[in-house]
Structure formats: C-alpha cells, structure tokens
Amino acid sequence: MKSLLDKGLVTIKTDGVKVFTSRLLKYGVVKLKRLFRKKDQQNIAKWAGLKNKYKGERIFIIGNGPSINKMPFYLLENEYTFAFNRFNLMFERLNWVPDFYMVTDDLVIQDMYEQINNEILPVVPYAFFPDIHPSNVDFTKFINHADNVHWINADKPEFRDDLPNCGINKTVVNAAIQIAGYLGFTEIYLIGVDMTFADQKVKKVNSRDWEADEHDPNHFDPRYFGKGLKYHNPTVHEMMEKFRLAKLFFDERGNKIFNATEGGKLEEFPRVDFNSLFILSNSEKQDLLNNSKILKDRGLTFNELLDVELVSKSSDSYPELFRTDLTLGLDLIPKLIVTYLPLGPFKEQYYFVKRQFISKR
C-alpha cells in the first residue's frame, strides 16, 4: 500500500492532479475487472508446469541497450535467453532465437502487436504478457492466445514468487527476473542493461508517455524507438531503486543475479565479464558464426569474410562485403543498419554484409 501511495504522490508532483485522477480511475477499473473476471484455469495450469522447470540452470536476460552491439552474441547459441519488446530487430543478425520473450509496456504492445503475433510468437518457445495492464490496456485483445503465451497479473507493484502474480517494478527486466526465479534458474546474468540514456527528441504527452520524433540513440538499433513510436519515459532513479529491491528479494531466495553488461551504470548487482563465461576456441567461435542467419540466407561462410576488404574510416560508399575494427564497426552499425547487416565482433573486428548480397557460388 505504501508503494502505491508514494507512486501517487510522485504522479501529482510531476503531472498534476488531473493525470493522477485519470490513472487512479483506470487502475480502479482494472481492479473491478479483476474482481469479476473468471480465473483462467488453463493459464494457471501452464504456470504450474513451469515451476522450477529449469532448476540449477543459468539464463541471460537481455536488455536492449546499445552495449549489446559490443558483445559477441553468437556465443549465446546454446544458452537460455530472455528478450523483450523490439528484440526481433536483432533476429536477422543472430544464430539463435530467444527461449523467452516478454512485453509489459502498454504503449509498446499497441504499436507492435502485429509483429509479435506474426514474427515473434511463431518462433519463441515461451512468451509472457500482462493480461490487463495497470493502465487498463487489455493485452488479451492484442495478443494471439497461442499455446506458448502465458499471462501475468501485474496489478501490484511488488516483487513476487507466487506467479502468475508479477509486479513490473518500473522495467520489464525486473518482471523477467521474477519469472526466471520462478522457473528455477539459479544464475541470472543481465546483459545490455546499460541504464544510460542520451537525449532523444520526443513529443511528451506527459512525464510518462512519450512519442519519438527522431532515431533512437538508446538501444542497439536506431529503429527501436524510431520516429512515431511510443514508449514510456525511462525514470532511471526509480529503476535503480527497484533493482536494489530485486537484489534483496532474490538474495533471500538463493538466486544469484550478475551484471554481465559491457559498461553501463548498473552497479546494484555484482559485475562479471561476459566473455569469461564461455570457454571456446576461435575455431569453435567461427563455427557458431557460421550458423548466423546473415550468412545462411546469403550462401556465405564466415571463412569467406575473414579476408574481405578492411575499411579504416567512414565513407560515402562501401563494398558489398567489408570488415572494420571494433570502434569503427560500432560507429557504423546505426548509420548502415538499413542497408548492411553487421556480424561479430570476432577478434576485435566487425564484418558487414550488404542486405542484397547473394553469393554467386
């Protein structure tokens, strides 16, 4: 109750009584709906089947910050992974798809439900969504009721272990941590949770609801929250406090949460070097890269890219296939992502393949 009161006072201070009253009414409607809504026995049974299913395993929960472009994501091919929102923009660059997928943002669901239904649900084993968002957006009207869809009750802003009750706690990452704990994962690694947000030109409906007015500098792809897409203002200080509470909650339950993000400002969890979690030779890494969708779709092998032209500076034009050092590669990804697909990094280099390229072999 105290957390709800605190949240209400913050809303009045930042947005005024009118916005607070509107949100309070919507939340009241949600509680009424919950009172008269029949229990979804099929959903409850699904959740019962997931309890401790992955006990003793490790999982990588993937935030979508720009830092993930620095990381050799191909190493995750044989790992359990949990992704969110517009991570489908990354699918074409990978040699795997996430095992678990989730959206908790009521603005995001209204913008991309068709992509979720058509591109994401058909390929991920498990997906999670609030049935009714606390803002009174009914996700069940947007998302296909597929066998791999599991609904959460996000009415209360708390950390829970009696799922499907699951507080969002300011970020989808915290909701995912609760699910990972329920599934039995004992080692939880956060990656791409940068907690650094550069200024982006937006239209502000209020302090919470924004609409992008230019390309997105705060995620791995500039199209993530690109022009015209809606999202919620990331309130970093509130998110950090919730991460602190998450650590306290899961420490008591024996779940170990680590931050394997490359850089960033999240210090609530102990740091671990991502690369240290994998013991693979360069040859084994090349085998993983060979499984990437980029190469398979174009009839290429990674060996064919090792000796392509090395580009050392930005230009107005590029070869169909080229490589760069890591620094230039990271700079080029947001500039070229519409016309080129990046692969890597491998041995401190990035490899770029033109989207229209098809091997003539």
Side-chain angles (χ1 to χ4, degrees):
M1 178 62 71
K2 183 178 184 298
S3 60
L4 287 173
L5 291 173
D6 290 343
K7 187 176 181 180
L9 291 173
V10 170
T11 301
I12 292 172
K13 183 177 180 180
T14 55
D15 291 310
V17 174
K18 184 177 180 180
V19 171
F20 168 74
T21 302
S22 173
R23 292 181 187 173
L24 186 63
L25 287 172
K26 289 178 180 178
Y27 187 67
V29 171
V30 171
K31 299 306 287 184
L32 283 173
K33 285 183 177 179
R34 187 71 65 195
L35 185 64
F36 293 102
R37 198 181 187 102
K38 290 184 178 180
K39 286 188 176 181
D40 186 339
Q41 296 298 337
Q42 184 181 22
N43 186 59
I44 293 172
K46 283 184 182 180
W47 278 102
L50 290 179
K51 180 69 173 177
N52 288 326
K53 183 174 181 177
Y54 298 94
K55 192 170 182 61
E57 301 283 357
R58 71 179 186 180
I59 188 171
F60 292 82
I61 294 179
I62 307 168
N64 292 317
S67 69
I68 68 175
N69 286 324
K70 301 177 182 179
M71 304 174 75
F73 260 38
Y74 51 88
L75 299 181
L76 293 172
E77 181 175 339
N78 299 309
E79 301 287 342
Y80 291 109
T81 52
F82 203 140
F84 315 117
N85 300 337
R86 290 189 171 84
F87 189 78
N88 58 311
L89 290 170
M90 181 67 82
F91 283 6
E92 61 187 352
R93 295 163 54 179
L94 298 175
N95 53 335
W96 51 272
V97 294
D99 301 282
F100 309 97
Y101 172 80
M102 190 176 197
V103 176
T104 60
D105 190 315
D106 54 314
L107 296 180
V108 170
I109 207 71
Q110 293 173 81
D111 268 350
M112 67 168 299
Y113 67 91
E114 290 182 344
Q115 294 174 52
I116 293 170
N117 290 328
N118 297 327
E119 299 176 20
I120 300 173
L121 292 186
V123 299
V124 299
Y126 300 97
F128 307 94
F129 309 92
D131 53 358
I132 311 173
H133 192 273
S135 67
N136 193 30
V137 173
D138 191 339
F139 278 45
T140 66
K141 293 182 178 179
F142 291 94
I143 298 300
N144 291 342
H145 292 235
D147 288 342
N148 59 338
V149 169
H150 300 69
W151 306 106
I152 65 170
N153 180 336
D155 292 358
K156 296 179 180 179
E158 302 167 352
F159 286 94
R160 308 289 293 256
D161 49 18
D162 60 337
L163 278 72
N165 298 306
C166 180
I168 297 172
N169 294 295
K170 290 299 176 180
T171 167
V172 66
V173 175
N174 276 328
I177 291 173
Q178 291 167 82
I179 293 173
Y182 181 86
L183 294 173
F185 288 103
T186 50
E187 291 185 10
I188 301 170
Y189 294 92
L190 306 183
I191 51 180
V193 187
D194 296 13
M195 300 305 294
T196 56
F197 294 93
D199 289 338
Q200 180 183 10
K201 188 178 179 182
V202 297
K203 299 174 183 176
K204 297 183 181 180
V205 179
N206 53 54
S207 70
R208 178 176 180 266
D209 301 349
W210 290 5
E211 180 180 320
D213 203 29
E214 63 181 6
H215 291 314
D216 181 0
N218 294 314
H219 294 88
F220 65 86
D221 190 306
R223 301 168 294 175
Y224 190 91
F225 283 138
K227 185 176 176 63
L229 296 177
K230 301 177 184 66
Y231 64 100
H232 291 306
N233 167 27
T235 52
V236 174
H237 65 289
E238 292 179 312
M239 293 162 70
M240 289 292 199
E241 172 61 15
K242 293 297 185 180
F243 281 131
R244 186 185 69 80
L245 295 175
K247 185 178 188 306
L248 293 173
F249 183 87
F250 286 100
D251 278 352
E252 292 179 353
R253 287 156 177 77
N255 302 98
K256 299 177 180 178
I257 305 174
F258 302 94
N259 182 13
T261 298
E262 179 77 23
K265 293 185 177 180
L266 178 60
E267 305 299 342
E268 300 300 330
F269 306 104
R271 291 269 189 175
V272 63
D273 177 61
F274 177 78
N275 290 286
S276 72
L277 301 172
F278 307 90
I279 304 174
L280 296 171
S281 67
N282 283 333
S283 176
E284 290 171 317
K285 291 177 182 179
Q286 287 181 229
D287 288 341
L288 294 176
L289 283 161
N290 271 322
N291 291 334
S292 71
K293 184 172 173 55
I294 295 174
L295 300 184
K296 284 188 171 182
D297 285 354
R298 290 159 182 80
L300 285 167
T301 66
F302 188 66
N303 283 340
E304 293 176 86
L305 295 184
L306 290 174
D307 296 319
V308 297
E309 182 178 339
L310 177 64
V311 171
S312 58
K313 60 182 180 180
S314 296
S315 173
D316 292 331
S317 63
Y318 299 91
E320 288 188 306
L321 306 173
F322 69 95
R323 59 194 169 101
T324 70
D325 64 27
L326 180 58
T327 300
L328 179 58
L330 292 172
D331 184 55
L332 290 181
I333 288 172
K335 298 176 182 177
L336 298 181
I337 194 64
V338 174
T339 52
Y340 282 83
L341 288 166
L343 186 65
F346 175 72
K347 297 175 71 172
E348 297 297 308
Q349 291 192 332
Y350 246 110
Y351 299 80
F352 288 81
V353 179
K354 196 164 188 177
R355 286 181 177 271
Q356 289 80 13
F357 181 87
I358 299 293
S359 175
K360 296 179 182 178
R361 287 189 292 110

